[in-house]
Each structure stands twice: as structure tokens, then as C-alpha cells.
């Protein structure tokens, strides 16, 4: 029976990911929420970015007596990328930091999701051109590395 559970998880993985909006990367995990939040922040640092912002309604709701699943948005970027993006498109910089989204499931597992940087910056390609898309492609690779490390 224990061998059957991972098989079910592998089958469910594509189904959950199919529900994600266009442009999103989704990584369902067996990790508890708090562990995935910590692992995501550590992976961001390990991959040369910094945690620029964090926000989530879970603690504030608890302070109001409302229990909701864990929910945290973690913005990641660095100054090198900021300067490079600004050289291509002032308007595109509104998208920084690009965010990871950690959500807790009812069964105690959690998911790591994000909009791919290429998707995030696509509306600005007419201003930023190929240089902006090259930066976005670099960030796509970095974000994928962060996600893979965090969910390990």
C-alpha cells in the first residue's frame, strides 16, 4: 500500500498543474507549509537572489480568530537584475520582485507556484525587446532551480 501512495501523487501532479492559470509553474509537494516556506527562502538565497518582500494573510487572520490554510507570497529579485531590466524597460520594473506563492493544502501538504519570468515580462517586450526577453529567460532558469531545490 505504501508504494501505491507515491504513484497516486504522481498521477495527481499533472491534474493539479492543469488547473493553474497560463504562464504558471506549479510544484505540488509532500512538505508541510512552514517547511516549504523556509526551503523556498533558502533556495532563493542559494541561487543568488534575495527575498525582497513577504506577505500572507494567515497570521493576520489567526489574530482575528479566523483559521485559513497557510498562504505566503515571497518576492525575489536582486539589484543586478533590477539595473538590467531598467536598461531595457522602465515599465517592466513594476513587475519586480517576481513572486513565489506557497500554499497549504487541506491534507497538510503544500504547493510552490510562480508565474514564469518570461510570462511576467512578456507584455513589455515591445519596449524591452530581445534584451528583456533574454533577462527573463535567465530568470526562468533561476526560478526553476529555486523551485526544484525548495521542493526536494
Amino acid at each position: 500500500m505504501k508504494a501505491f501512495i507515491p504513484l497516486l501523487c504522481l498521477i495527481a501532479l499533472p491534474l493539479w498543474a492543469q488547473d493553474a492559470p497560463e504562464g504558471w509553474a506549479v510544484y505540488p509537494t509532500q512538505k508541510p507549509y512552514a517547511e516549504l516556506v523556509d526551503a523556498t527562502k533558502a533556495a532563493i538565497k542559494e541561487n543568488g537572489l534575495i527575498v525582497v518582500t513577504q506577505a500572507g494573510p494567515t497570521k493576520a487572520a489567526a489574530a482575528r480568530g479566523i483559521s485559513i490554510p497557510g498562504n505566503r507570497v515571497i518576492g525575489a529579485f536582486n539589484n543586478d537584475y533590477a539595473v538590467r531590466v531598467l536598461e531595457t524597460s522602465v515599465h517592466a520594473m513594476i513587475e519586480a520582485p517576481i513572486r513565489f506563492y506557497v500554499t497549504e493544502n487541506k491534507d497538510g501538504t503544500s504547493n510552490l507556484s510562480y508565474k514564469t519570468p518570461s510570462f511576467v515580462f512578456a507584455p513589455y517586450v515591445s519596449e524591452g525587446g530581445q534584451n528583456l526577453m533574454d533577462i527573463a529567460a535567465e530568470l526562468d532558469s533561476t526560478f526553476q532551480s529555486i523551485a526544484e531545490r525548495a521542493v526536494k
Side-chain angles (χ1 to χ4, degrees):
M1 181 65 178
K2 286 185 180 181
F4 185 66
I5 292 172
L7 178 61
L8 285 176
C9 292
L10 289 174
I11 292 168
L13 176 93
L15 297 176
W16 196 96
Q18 288 174 359
D19 291 338
E22 179 185 352
W24 283 55
V26 179
Y27 293 78
T29 76
Q30 294 300 307
K31 288 187 177 187
Y33 167 77
E35 185 179 326
L36 184 56
V37 168
D38 291 343
T40 301
K41 291 190 286 187
I44 288 168
K45 184 176 181 179
E46 290 169 8
N47 280 274
L49 299 181
I50 60 171
V51 173
V52 178
T53 59
Q54 290 188 68
T58 310
K59 288 183 182 179
R64 296 175 43 226
I66 302 168
S67 179
I68 61 173
N71 188 294
R72 176 83 56 97
V73 175
I74 304 169
F77 221 61
N78 70 23
N79 186 258
D80 177 61
Y81 281 114
V83 169
R84 291 173 58 204
V85 168
L86 282 169
E87 288 172 349
T88 70
S89 169
V90 171
H91 296 107
M93 198 52 202
I94 196 166
E95 304 297 347
I98 300 173
R99 299 160 305 195
F100 288 95
Y101 190 31
V102 181
T103 53
E104 183 177 32
N105 300 313
K106 291 179 183 178
D107 66 358
T109 63
S110 56
N111 302 320
L112 178 61
S113 309
Y114 61 91
K115 291 181 186 178
T116 63
S118 290
F119 182 79
V120 169
F121 286 129
Y124 309 96
V125 75
S126 63
E127 181 181 356
Q130 188 59 48
N131 288 340
L132 179 60
M133 294 318 316
D134 291 345
I135 294 166
E138 286 177 40
L139 285 165
D140 283 345
S141 178
T142 300
F143 269 58
Q144 181 178 351
S145 294
I146 290 167
E148 289 173 355
R149 176 76 174 139
V151 302
K152 228 178 184 185

